[in-house]
Amino acid sequence: MEVRLAERLAELRGEHGWSLDELAERSGVSRSTLSRLERGEISPTAAVLGRLGAAYGRTTSRLLAEVEAEPPQVVRAGEQRVWRDDETGFARRSVSPPHPGLRGELVEGTLRPGADIAYDTPPVPGLEQHIWVLDGSVEITANGQAHELRAGDCLRFRLWGSSRFRCPGPEPARYVLAVVLP
């Protein structure tokens, strides 16, 4: 999957007619990092994928889905793709993978204690999100407003600005994220 992701990132830049310098300016990701990502030398972090998604007008899920085959109607638990960012302590399970003909998807997120992920901009302005915490607690800041959520709590919003997910611990936080494109 990482090889296909590297190839797709290079294709997207080509489709937009952008140089590495242009994409670096639009995404806030250094030119050298972009070059290494497109050659498959390194894997992107969650934050970098978020910045690239924003530059291309795509959610992280959609970017990842573009490198997978057409998703089936039923996705068995053992077949759900899990992507990990070991640097930030974030794991993301694509419970219902995005599909070009659908506007919504479900993602299970897990943050280890101390994990802290910040996104400068939404991948798609006005993106609707519903976050239901299953285990632990998570601090979510969306559009400049901070929320402390515990198991059973649900937060919903449309994302126009930056966002941040932080797990204060002492146990991991696990949540369901429902994403609906505008």
Side-chain angles (χ1 to χ4, degrees):
M1 183 171 161
E2 289 183 8
V3 171
R4 291 191 309 268
L5 180 58
E7 291 170 351
R8 182 61 183 141
L9 291 173
E11 287 172 5
L12 280 168
R13 186 171 57 80
E15 288 171 11
H16 284 79
W18 296 340
S19 67
L20 283 171
D21 290 326
E22 268 185 286
L23 180 56
E25 187 176 317
R26 292 173 183 269
S27 67
V29 178
S30 75
R31 182 188 193 288
S32 62
T33 298
L34 292 170
S35 177
R36 293 182 71 204
L37 285 171
E38 289 182 6
R39 291 193 313 259
E41 294 175 3
I42 59 173
S43 295
T45 63
V48 167
L49 259 177
R51 287 185 186 132
L52 291 174
Y56 293 125
R58 290 167 162 76
T59 64
T60 299
S61 296
R62 195 147 310 263
L63 265 177
L64 293 173
E66 288 177 13
V67 299
E68 295 178 351
E70 185 75 17
Q73 279 192 309
V74 176
V75 183
R76 305 289 178 205
E79 298 168 352
Q80 295 168 0
R81 299 268 185 186
V82 177
W83 180 78
R84 296 180 197 291
D85 180 355
D86 293 329
E87 184 179 313
T88 61
F90 174 56
R92 146 186 229 298
R93 176 183 301 278
S94 189
V95 177
S96 66
H99 184 277
L102 303 174
R103 292 184 22 221
E105 65 185 276
L106 289 177
V107 172
E108 176 189 35
T110 304
L111 296 169
R112 72 175 176 232
D116 192 345
I117 304 169
Y119 301 95
D120 297 329
T121 58
V124 177
L127 187 69
E128 182 179 346
Q129 296 187 16
H130 300 253
I131 301 168
W132 178 33
V133 179
L134 301 174
D135 300 305
S137 64
V138 63
E139 295 173 3
I140 298 173
T141 302
N143 303 316
Q145 187 172 6
H147 306 273
E148 291 184 26
L149 304 173
R150 301 196 188 306
D153 294 346
C154 184
L155 170 67
R156 61 184 178 183
F157 55 90
R158 287 195 183 276
L159 189 60
W160 298 100
S162 64
S163 61
R164 180 179 178 198
F165 291 67
R166 193 174 90 72
C167 178
E171 65 243 7
R174 191 169 65 95
Y175 57 88
V176 172
L177 169 65
V179 178
V180 183
L181 292 170

